[in-house]
Amino acid sequence: MGVDFAAQAQSKDIHKTPRPSRPNYNKLHAQPLPVKAYPLPPLIPHNPLSLLHIAFTYLSHIVFPPSSHPRPLLRAYFSADTHSVHVTDESTARILWEQGFFGKGSLSRSEPAWLEREKIRQGLVLGDTSEELTRKRREERKQFKNERARKEREAIEDKLAEEATVGPQGKDDGNREGDAKTPAATEIYQPSDTEAIGNQISSEYTPLLGSGEQANSASSDLASDGPSLQDPAKVIVNQEHLQLTLEEALFLVYALGVLEIQDPSNSQQITTSHLFSLCRSHSHFPPQPTSSLAPDDPFLLSYVVYHHFRSLGWVVRPGIKFAVDYLLYNRGPVFSHAEFAVIVLPAYNDAHWASTAELQTIVQTKAKKSWWWLHCVNRVQAQVKKSLVLVYVEVPAPGSGDGRGVGGVLKRYRVRELMVKRWTPNRNRD
């Protein structure tokens, strides 16, 4: 008897769930930073006209220099309540996210996508956002685990019921000819307290939506309750803004020069030096005055590391999810997972910190980390397949260089990187 493989393939295609189309991330995130570069054309040795092209481009850039920064500059305002910088303009938020992955949505996990989710929820737009796809995958994984637990529980119950019908001699009393099943044989199995507790616990993990007609009816009820797609005139006000960390805001203002930050109280622009002092003050809680700030305040150490890796071309994102300070992405979180996890540590190697016994005690208290702490952090990074990088920031002596602007303060710091890998005896024998 022949097998109709074409019919089988067609039936599989019918039941296969179509994968939603993904946006073209290479086009959306073509620029790594919110600045434009104008490189010279390539030199072709066997084509003399390429020299003329290079000369013409170079002279045109000198006579009519193109602008690498957006005009007007991007705008945001400083929030002292949240110790961050808020971007309320939608176009500015899209530019900062698509060109460098700066900030996060105030109502989203990462990318500001609350407006798209709300349109989908109200039935104005078809499709799913990245957060909705992640939520659905987690629900499917949870239902799969619940179904697997239910089948394992049923297998154990069938095995116990089968063993309950076996006699004391190891023979099946119910299958012998001429022998009637005695009441004693049917009452041999009595579930213990442990099994009763296990059945009670496992019953709590049954699938929530059920199966078959119940699931279909529930999904149809949810679909019927939502609004139809025949209301295009409805306008939804975007209630989400982009939230920048203090390190990201200073990098956009000082290093790139593409952002203007305003004071919400008087709508005046905050200068770079004043923003630098505000960030240092608000890195403590409650905020401390500028006169009492030390050269090892949390913002200075974290910004030095942030500026260091951003200058090397990495996409730096907060790493609180994995118990670290930063995560380093090669191109961005939409392309691949983070390769490295960074922890910022102060290093007090300057002679000033060993000048007195009091300073030595303070330094030992700040720089001391236990072996158990390092083992726990390294274990977490090994489970998520990331390499742990310990970044030591050389803390200079206080007082010198404070009056030479932001650049004069930052150039006094040095960064040392140390990669730590988890050693396992069965894999690292050599």
Side-chain angles (χ1 to χ4, degrees), residues 103-104 245 248 316-322 324-327 329:
K104 68 171 293 294
T245 62
E248 292 173 334
V316 186
R317 299 289 297 167
I320 189 173
K321 181 179 179 181
F322 301 105
V324 294
D325 294 315
Y326 293 119
L327 295 176
Y329 294 87

Side-chain angles (χ1 to χ4, degrees), residues 133-175:
L133 294 176
T134 303
R135 182 185 60 81
K136 289 182 179 180
R137 285 198 302 267
R138 290 177 178 175
E139 289 182 355
E140 292 176 358
R141 203 177 309 132
K142 182 179 179 181
Q143 291 183 4
F144 170 76
K145 293 180 180 180
N146 294 338
E147 185 68 16
R148 183 178 58 185
R150 184 183 63 82
K151 291 182 178 180
E152 291 177 355
R153 183 177 71 253
E154 291 178 353
I156 294 175
E157 292 177 353
D158 294 342
K159 184 66 175 177
L160 293 176
E162 181 182 354
E163 293 177 354
T165 60
V166 179
Q169 302 299 328
K171 298 180 180 180
D172 192 353
D173 295 339
N175 293 333

Side-chain angles (χ1 to χ4, degrees), residues 14 73 130 200 234 360 376:
I14 293 174
L73 295 179
S130 58
Q200 181 180 0
K234 186 175 182 179
Q360 292 180 3
C376 293

Side-chain angles (χ1 to χ4, degrees), residues 325-337:
D325 294 315
Y326 293 119
L327 295 176
L328 302 183
Y329 294 87
N330 186 16
R331 295 183 62 188
V334 301
F335 296 102
S336 62
H337 292 283

Side-chain angles (χ1 to χ4, degrees), residues 256-328:
L256 299 182
V258 298
L259 184 66
E260 290 182 354
I261 299 180
Q262 298 179 352
D263 189 350
S265 60
N266 51 17
S267 301
Q268 296 294 327
Q269 181 182 352
I270 301 176
T271 61
T272 304
S273 57
H274 184 42
L275 177 65
F276 184 63
S277 301
L278 281 177
C279 294
R280 294 185 62 184
S281 301
H282 285 80
S283 63
H284 300 271
F285 184 81
Q288 296 184 2
T290 309
S291 58
S292 62
L293 295 176
D296 60 344
D297 62 75
F299 174 78
L300 262 179
L301 300 181
S302 60
Y303 180 76
V304 167
V305 176
Y306 183 89
H307 190 109
H308 170 72
F309 285 111
R310 273 288 186 176
S311 302
L312 294 177
W314 292 97
V315 175
V316 186
R317 299 289 297 167
I320 189 173
K321 181 179 179 181
F322 301 105
V324 294
D325 294 315
Y326 293 119
L327 295 176
L328 302 183

Side-chain angles (χ1 to χ4, degrees), residues 87-105:
V87 179
T88 56
D89 183 62
E90 295 185 19
S91 60
T92 302
R94 296 309 307 177
I95 290 175
L96 293 178
W97 173 258
E98 293 178 356
Q99 301 177 11
F101 299 97
F102 292 95
K104 68 171 293 294

